[in-house]
Amino acid sequence: MMKKYTRPSRKIPTLRDTLGIDTLPELIGYSTDKYGDNVAYRTPRGNAVYELTYGRVLDLVGKFARNLRELGVERGDHVALLGENRPEWGISLFALSWIGAVAIPLDARASLDSHNFILSFSSAKAVIVSAAYMNDISSLAPGLSRLRNVIPMDTIEDVCRRYAAGQPMENVPPDSLLEILFTSGTTGDPKGVMLSHRNIMSNVDDVQRTISYGPTDRAFSILPVHHSYECTGGLISTFGSGMSVFYGRGLKPRDLLEDMKLSRPTIWLSAPLILEKLYQRVHREITGQTGIKKLLTSIAPRSYIKRKIRRSLGFDDIRLIISGGAALPGWLSSGLSQYGLDVIQGYGLSEASPLITVNPPSSPRHESIGMVIPSNDVEIRDTDGEGNGEITAKGPNIMLGYYKNQAATEEALTRDGWLLTGDIGYFDEDGYLYITGRKKFVIVTKGGKNVYPEEIEEKLTKSPLIEEALVFSPDDAQIQALVFPQMEEVQRRIERMGEDVTPENIWLLLRHEIRHANRELEPYKKIGHFAVRLEEFPKTTTRKIKRYLFKDLRLTPDTRVLL
């Protein structure tokens, strides 16, 4: 059995010196001066690919900042951002930082009620919004007494043509507020995470010190840019390097594949759910071959198969895929690696700007969430009998606190600045961190054993027949599970057996998968009963199941299907 440690024996190796930049406007000035002629952004528009150079971005940032000033936006004012992934979203954030205003990123997939709450609670003075959401925001505006302006994101370039020169850069203190990120949460309790310029820039600096990337790289952006992972990693860190970022049109399979081929990325920030869909697609194509294709695949060299798969995805030049936002199952990263798609996993929270650990690309470990970044200290506290305890972190990236919520701040931050993440894990002897579950979701059995639902869920979703799983215990005695099937594969299996695809037959088929998972689990972790859910679980915008909606769920012995 692996020995577990409460502190890392070492941190992730560094590759470069620190940038020495403490604010976002400083970073914008540094990058546009150094990489002015490089292409910063690319995105499909109409029948062409729209491009902006770093120099042009600086021009737009300064002029749009001037426009914002003329509209009455002052240093310290709160301004919301709402739009799809696009160059103008980043330009808006940069322009707000340029004049010392505070950005309130809104989730483009959230409800109108959510937007209304955040705009009111944050005292937003203005909203910069893309055309797709203009009607929604306009309908809310009359009821928001502090909202002064609704500013179109789509017309930024047109507005900037009015000005011969831009607004001078504000001298922003590093510890001043840059953004307030409202977390979607799996508990139904959104909180405003206050992040300073220093918080974000320390994370940007740690990324550039530990990951090899630069001006010749091409990043592919598909994750929601309002989220801390994509905002810090996919927007701000990339801009500091001189590389180009291609904004995809969305997650529709056809658009996604076309955009990946068009962008030919070298770097891709992704999330487990997207990677799982990608793996399933590739796996089905390979294992579903028949006749001469199957024969050729079986005798072809592995390196040839990998190159062919990468080429079919537009990944000829891909050298770095980083997964974040949720836990990446070890079986998934191993499976993708077999097909020539190596993925490294990082770990963090919005409250940490977000990065705390990341796997070194030169020596990743599939089951691990990586090694501690240079500026952070991480400790495991309050360990249980198995050596697992709460992951705590301290460093310049840790949030200032929760906006207008002192009680929640005091729960999350100790008096000496340690962030209590609520995640449970341990270190191995080489300094790699492993996560076993969430503190708030742990099941403590009547025998005093700790059961982490995520550990069991990962074993269940290894099955090609199970898309999603939720593990819980209604009585701290019996472990139960609710599973959503991978319907295409389930239908194929049942029809192959000559049976009708009925809820009962789906349950009978999945019973074999539950039994298989149970064989890998200790007796107190085994699933006593399960039921099938015939639709996807409701999720947060970071694709995590909203567990709080199922807190009162109890499966009776005769419950097999939940409609």
Side-chain angles (χ1 to χ4, degrees):
M1 188 175 182
M2 178 192 294
K3 187 173 180 181
K4 298 178 179 180
Y5 297 82
T6 58
R7 289 183 177 86
S9 57
R10 60 194 176 104
K11 296 182 180 181
I12 187 171
T14 56
L15 306 174
R16 291 181 279 207
D17 293 332
T18 179
L19 281 173
I21 295 174
D22 292 324
T23 70
L24 181 52
E26 286 181 79
L27 183 76
I28 296 165
Y30 164 83
S31 294
T32 53
D33 180 60
K34 190 172 183 179
Y35 308 113
D37 293 332
N38 287 23
V39 173
Y41 300 125
R42 302 175 70 225
T43 193
R45 288 194 178 162
N47 296 320
V49 175
Y50 173 77
E51 293 186 351
L52 285 174
T53 65
Y54 276 76
R56 179 61 175 152
V57 168
L58 177 64
D59 183 58
L60 292 172
V61 166
K63 291 176 179 177
F64 188 43
R66 182 174 173 182
N67 178 247
L68 292 171
R69 269 290 164 82
E70 289 182 0
L71 291 172
V73 178
E74 301 291 339
R75 182 168 171 169
D77 283 344
H78 294 182
V79 179
L81 295 176
L82 177 59
E84 55 283 340
N85 284 24
R86 56 189 297 165
E88 292 85 356
W89 199 101
I91 289 166
S92 299
L93 175 66
F94 293 171
L96 291 172
S97 77
W98 198 255
I99 57 174
V102 179
I104 314 290
L106 297 180
D107 179 356
R109 292 177 294 184
S111 67
L112 209 55
D113 285 343
S114 173
H115 294 332
N116 191 54
F117 167 76
I118 293 172
L119 290 170
S120 175
F121 184 69
S122 67
S123 303
K125 190 173 184 178
V127 185
I128 304 171
V129 58
S130 71
Y133 307 97
M134 180 61 76
N135 288 341
D136 287 344
I137 296 302
S138 296
S139 72
L140 297 176
L144 296 164
S145 59
R146 300 193 183 185
L147 191 66
R148 296 286 179 265
N149 288 288
V150 178
I151 304 165
M153 189 179 286
D154 299 63
T155 59
I156 286 176
E157 280 202 84
D158 294 334
V159 167
C160 290
R161 291 191 184 100
R162 300 178 197 166
Y163 306 104
Q167 182 75 18
M169 184 182 81
E170 187 83 18
N171 184 18
V172 180
D175 291 319
S176 63
L177 201 53
L178 171 59
E179 59 183 356
I180 304 175
L181 299 177
F182 281 84
T183 60
S184 51
T186 55
T187 60
D189 181 25
K191 295 186 285 285
V193 177
M194 298 189 292
L195 297 175
S196 69
H197 285 261
R198 191 188 307 277
N199 289 154
I200 297 293
M201 291 311 305
S202 71
N203 234 209
V204 170
D205 195 53
D206 278 333
V207 169
Q208 75 87 30
R209 290 177 68 192
T210 55
I211 307 293
S212 177
Y213 60 87
T216 59
D217 279 307
R218 301 180 298 276
F220 182 63
S221 173
I222 200 67
L223 300 178
V225 72
H226 78 277
H227 190 261
S228 60
Y229 171 43
E230 181 67 22
C231 188
T232 299
L235 171 62
I236 301 175
S237 292
T238 54
F239 198 81
S241 73
M243 75 171 74
S244 66
V245 176
F246 187 103
Y247 286 111
R249 289 168 291 177
L251 290 173
K252 292 180 180 177
R254 181 178 296 178
D255 288 348
L256 184 61
L257 188 58
E258 286 179 3
D259 289 347
M260 288 194 298
K261 289 180 177 179
L262 191 60
S263 65
R264 296 180 58 250
T266 59
I267 293 175
W268 183 28
L269 269 64
S270 192
L273 190 68
I274 298 171
L275 292 170
E276 188 170 346
K277 301 281 189 190
L278 181 68
Y279 172 78
Q280 288 169 351
R281 177 192 175 101
V282 173
H283 187 69
R284 278 198 301 269
E285 286 186 8
I286 295 295
T287 58
Q289 291 177 341
T290 58
I292 190 68
K293 277 190 176 181
K294 182 176 182 180
L295 175 63
L296 291 173
T297 298
S298 67
I299 63 175
R302 193 48 141 175
S303 58
Y304 170 78
I305 300 297
K306 288 182 177 181
R307 283 197 304 273
K308 188 175 180 181
I309 290 169
R310 287 161 66 114
R311 192 177 303 118
S312 71
L313 298 170
F315 282 177
D316 309 63
D317 300 327
I318 198 78
R319 62 179 190 80
L320 192 60
I321 301 174
I322 304 175
S323 177
L328 179 72
W331 66 265
L332 179 56
S333 56
S334 298
L336 286 166
S337 183
Q338 289 177 0
Y339 291 134
L341 301 170
D342 293 320
V343 181
I344 66 168
Q345 184 174 192
Y347 163 73
L349 301 85
S350 297
E351 290 85 347
S353 302
L355 194 65
I356 295 174
T357 65
V358 67
N359 267 281
S362 59
S363 53
R365 296 188 179 178
H366 289 310
E367 303 287 344
S368 171
I369 53 175
M371 304 178 78
V372 178
I373 57 176
S375 70
N376 271 204
D377 291 314
V378 176
E379 292 179 358
I380 307 298
R381 298 185 179 179
D382 303 322
T383 54
D384 60 19
E386 296 183 5
N388 303 311
E390 184 171 9
I391 300 168
T392 66
K394 186 177 183 180
N397 57 322
I398 303 303
M399 68 171 180
L400 303 178
Y402 293 116
Y403 183 68
K404 293 182 182 177
N405 196 337
Q406 187 60 28
T409 299
E410 290 174 1
E411 285 182 17
L413 295 176
T414 66
R415 290 185 178 181
D416 55 349
W418 286 85
L419 174 66
L420 308 178
T421 69
D423 290 315
I424 304 298
Y426 63 90
F427 284 104
D428 69 13
E429 62 181 356
D430 297 318
Y432 286 80
L433 184 62
Y434 298 78
I435 194 167
T436 55
R438 285 288 288 168
K439 186 176 181 179
K440 68 178 81 171
F441 303 142
V442 66
I443 300 165
V444 181
T445 70
K446 292 183 177 177
K449 296 285 192 179
N450 288 350
V451 177
Y452 298 101
E454 296 91 340
E455 176 191 357
I456 304 171
E457 289 161 5
E458 180 178 337
K459 292 189 183 300
L460 292 175
T461 54
K462 278 183 183 179
S463 165
L465 300 178
I466 297 176
E467 182 92 8
E468 299 169 357
L470 180 73
V471 170
F472 58 97
S473 176
D475 54 9
D476 293 333
Q478 186 188 61
I479 305 298
Q480 298 187 344
L482 189 59
V483 298
F484 171 59
Q486 211 301 317
M487 291 306 298
E488 287 184 23
E489 188 63 28
V490 164
Q491 182 176 344
R492 192 179 296 118
R493 295 276 186 99
I494 292 176
E495 289 176 347
R496 195 184 302 158
M497 293 187 293
E499 302 286 346
D500 293 329
V501 182
T502 64
E504 178 67 15
N505 283 337
I506 293 173
W507 187 89
L508 291 170
L509 178 65
L510 293 182
R511 183 174 61 177
H512 296 289
E513 305 304 302
I514 301 296
R515 288 173 174 172
H516 178 75
N518 274 344
R519 285 196 288 271
E520 299 180 9
L521 294 167
E522 292 90 335
Y524 65 92
K525 296 179 182 177
K526 293 184 186 296
I527 298 165
H529 185 57
F530 84 99
V532 175
R533 179 181 169 88
L534 295 178
E535 61 180 7
E536 283 191 37
F537 287 94
K539 301 181 193 69
T540 69
T541 55
T542 53
R543 310 303 292 166
K544 296 173 186 174
I545 294 172
K546 292 182 177 180
R547 292 177 183 267
Y548 67 93
L549 296 176
F550 302 89
K551 61 185 175 60
D552 297 322
L553 183 62
R554 177 186 291 266
L555 301 178
T556 60
D558 58 343
T559 304
R560 292 190 172 188
V561 178
L562 284 184
L563 301 176

